[in-house]
Amino acid sequence: MSFLLKFRAGMLLSCACLCLPAAVSIAAKPDPMDWPNWRGPQQNRASTEKNLVEKWDPAGGPGSNLLWRKKEYAGRCTPIVMRGKLYMIVHDQPDTPDEGEKVVCADAVTGKPIWEHRMNVYLSDVPADRAGWSSCVGDPDTGRIYAQSVCGYFCCLEGDSGKLIWDHSLHEEYGLISTFGGRTNFPLVFEDNVITSAVVVGWGDKPKWGRFALPAHRFMCFDKATGELRWISGTNISPYDTTFSTPTILPIGGRQQMIFCSGDGGVWSLQPRTGKPIWGYPFGRAGINISPLVTPEGRVFASQDCENTFGPGRGSVVALDGTESGDLTGKELWRKLEIMAGFSSPVMLNNRLYVVDNSAKLFIFDPETGHIIATKKLANTMRGTGVEGPTPLVADGKIYMVTGGGQWFVLKPTENSVRILDKIRLSNEFCDASPIVSHGRFYITTSEAMYCVGNRDQQPQADPLPPERKEAGNSDDKVATVQVVPFDVVLSPGEKQKYSVRLFNAAGQQVKKQPKAGEFEFSVDGPGDIGKNGLYEAPTDKKHQCALVRCVVDDVVGTARIRIVPPLPWKFDFDHVTDVPLTWLGGRVRWQVRGKEGDKYIAKKTVLPTPKDPNNKLGTRSYLWMGPISLSNYTIQADVLLKEHEVENGPSKMPEVGLIDSGYELLIRPARHILLLNSWLASDYRQYKNADFRPGADQWYTLKLSVIPEGDKATIRGKIWPRGQREPANWTVEMEDAKPNLHGTPGIYGLSSDAEIYLDNLQVTPN
């Protein structure tokens, strides 16, 4: 299939307008007082609004300036405002078997809900209390909304009605990693693109396929109207961690640049239309979460709280020249060490740089020299292991901020420091979201509620937004990048896929003269055929295989990747192969063929701790995805064996293994002595069933999982028995899900931190 417009069950049912009829968003002139993404209309957490309230009382009452308080909008998400509507992602039906996430649209003045779009959380290690981590982004040109869930579900919605336009399951389709940490990236709209990122493990092994099989912090760029994938590009292989750094896209030095902090510990700039790197700066020895502050002149300010790649200790603040290219190591404009600011992003006001560290200590810098003008301890935000997180808001000549511990501040800059105009303690409320302002109203999200604060009788006022910097004129028509679209697809045998080509110069600008269809030199590396008009036809033989479409323009080569996956049934016994199928996402990185000819199996490798690296467990917990996400109403079965790791002076340990079917998994969990059937592993409440089961080490078992969709529900059943014995008539575990996943790719889950997993005789059959 060339592109799949899909939905997850429960999503379609709740993507209903509660108050308004469905409407198609149309182009409109952007409102300068709208707040279309969490960093604001200028991407710097700054507003031009003025005459804003300075004091308010969270208890409400006359004269409190509290317009409303909504418990149902509590959470982690920083909201956005566009065209009179408020958009956010919140936890849906928490602490129930139906819990998940949802995008909520509300009236920005009254807070009254208009529509909601449910998003199931599935096949993720993210705990339920971290649902709603990301934020929506609005497209001022079309009024559409884009949202990414904690598990990797990514969708485009009509802003007026909530109608689903297109969606993707990024983890099942492209190998997005959704971890226990819950750090979720924020989409970004640029021209006709929408861009999001994550640590991604894809498919491929040889150089011709790229290095997509190895994990990296990668960006995925889609056509914002259709959801068609245009490119995937990333930073260094094997990053330290996932992050939630939001890029800034601005023309700097005449070039459009997308500047962000990466999971590899660096600050990077990529071309936003092509994903090609412009410059990079190694910064820390962990993933960096803050969003860099980029000035129109091209200065880039960033901070982190991890081990430095230079100098002593942990934590630093740096200033970089974004007009440079290549490796910026040693080319800092300035840097200050041992400042631990890893969550709250820097802001600028009146040519002073403000950085809030993890303990809510405010640092005020001269942005030209890095000289520290003043520091001010604002609050003790430590709450257990929590740290300061929200980013301040600059507006009306003041700094508005809320600490992670729930203290609200209004700060007025002075000659040598800041003066506190207002300070409020939000009792027993924690804050991960950053405050925003739109049309004279502040929106402050806490763990308990969302507050809307403003003057009821005052008309909103704002100065004009500063004029946008312009990109240098496009005078270069020499082709430097050939973009073949769509970049990565799954097709069935005999299926056709039409390809288009986009050409860009060295500056990442689309060349003026784009060749017409039929003028390209297409070829295929692998099975299938393609004509001059870009129409590819997959071979008809029912094999799991891959192909690479090539297009050459002016001696520049562009490629697109194809996985060809036959319809069910599938059967893999691995007896006559040397590697796992190339079509499996994450397969050749994590799994390898073992055994003798005629009696082979695949093994999930483990990375046990060593004296040099006692915490070395990278890649031991992972999902493997096998094919198209459109598959539905099928059964997956395989033989599995768990090895055992003997621990000196302690109990031995065994790995976990599971099969995946339509967004559900059947897991052997030896440490808990259970066989578990679930969709959202880290949720204590989402629909699940388990049965007592104590696996023996080095013993083969047969696992079987079946999902039967039935209207607006699904029946999920699993069983296990010793291999070679008669299959039991009864299912070991069985459940019915009222908020079901109706389809999804088959897959394998493995946690091999302590010992290896063996798997054999895998088969997937239609019910």
Side-chain angles (χ1 to χ4, degrees), residues 99 134 156 182 189 240 253 272 470 552 596 661 676:
E99 74 177 347
S134 185
C156 170
V189 173
Y240 296 105
K470 300 296 184 182
V552 181
K596 299 179 180 179
D661 183 331
L676 175 64

Side-chain angles (χ1 to χ4, degrees), residues 419-466:
R419 178 164 55 93
I420 298 176
L421 300 182
D422 192 26
K423 179 179 178 180
I424 296 171
R425 163 70 72 176
L426 300 172
S427 180
N428 297 318
E429 298 184 48
F430 304 136
C431 296
D432 294 288
S434 302
I436 71 167
V437 65
S438 178
H439 294 81
R441 294 177 291 272
F442 291 102
Y443 299 89
I444 305 152
T445 306
T446 76
S447 58
E448 301 301 317
M450 179 186 290
Y451 296 86
C452 180
V453 177
N455 189 324
R456 295 180 186 276
D457 303 322
Q458 183 173 314
Q459 292 296 316
Q461 295 178 305
D463 291 328
L465 292 175

Side-chain angles (χ1 to χ4, degrees), residues 492-496 537-541 564:
S492 300
E495 187 174 0
K496 297 178 181 180
E537 185 172 355
T540 57
D541 52 314
I564 304 161

Side-chain angles (χ1 to χ4, degrees), residues 1 490-495 538-546 563-572 581 583-584 626-628 630-631 746 764:
M1 70 210 70
V490 180
L491 301 178
S492 300
E495 187 174 0
T540 57
D541 52 314
K542 295 184 178 180
K543 295 180 180 179
H544 296 256
Q545 52 193 327
C546 297
R563 290 187 291 153
I564 304 161
V565 180
L568 302 181
W570 304 339
K571 185 176 181 180
F572 304 92
T583 54
W584 288 4
M626 297 180 181
S630 58
L631 292 178
V764 185

Side-chain angles (χ1 to χ4, degrees), residues 211 428 432 641 656:
R211 304 184 73 190
N428 297 318
D432 294 288
L641 179 148
E656 296 180 2

Side-chain angles (χ1 to χ4, degrees), residues 364-507:
I364 307 173
F365 293 90
D366 180 329
E368 299 295 324
T369 65
H371 170 69
I372 299 177
I373 297 170
T375 63
K376 190 176 187 66
K377 181 68 174 177
L378 296 174
N380 180 11
T381 66
M382 300 304 289
R383 56 186 200 268
T385 59
V387 293
E388 167 63 16
T391 295
L393 166 67
V394 172
D396 201 16
K398 296 177 279 291
I399 299 169
Y400 301 83
M401 63 172 288
V402 60
T403 69
Q407 287 183 277
W408 168 261
F409 289 89
V410 180
L411 307 174
K412 180 71 174 178
T414 64
E415 183 177 354
N416 298 313
S417 185
V418 292
R419 178 164 55 93
I420 298 176
L421 300 182
D422 192 26
K423 179 179 178 180
I424 296 171
R425 163 70 72 176
L426 300 172
S427 180
N428 297 318
E429 298 184 48
F430 304 136
C431 296
D432 294 288
S434 302
I436 71 167
V437 65
S438 178
H439 294 81
R441 294 177 291 272
F442 291 102
Y443 299 89
I444 305 152
T445 306
T446 76
S447 58
E448 301 301 317
M450 179 186 290
Y451 296 86
C452 180
V453 177
N455 189 324
R456 295 180 186 276
D457 303 322
Q458 183 173 314
Q459 292 296 316
Q461 295 178 305
D463 291 328
L465 292 175
E468 295 183 358
R469 289 291 178 111
K470 300 296 184 182
E471 184 178 16
N474 185 354
S475 58
D476 181 7
D477 259 356
K478 183 178 180 180
V479 175
T481 299
V482 176
Q483 197 174 91
V484 184
V485 181
F487 178 71
D488 197 305
V489 296
V490 180
L491 301 178
S492 300
E495 187 174 0
K496 297 178 181 180
Q497 172 65 56
K498 183 64 181 293
Y499 283 91
S500 62
V501 175
R502 291 153 55 90
L503 306 179
F504 299 87
N505 61 23

Side-chain angles (χ1 to χ4, degrees), residues 22 24 48 61 73 75 95 97 136 159 198 205 237 243 250 300 323-324 391 397 444 503 508 608 620 628 633 700 759:
V24 177
T48 61
Y73 301 157
D95 303 338
C136 301
D205 57 352
I237 298 299
T243 75
L250 285 177
V300 178
T323 65
E324 293 277 356
T391 295
I444 305 152
L503 306 179
L608 291 173
T620 59
N633 199 11
W700 283 99
L759 187 143

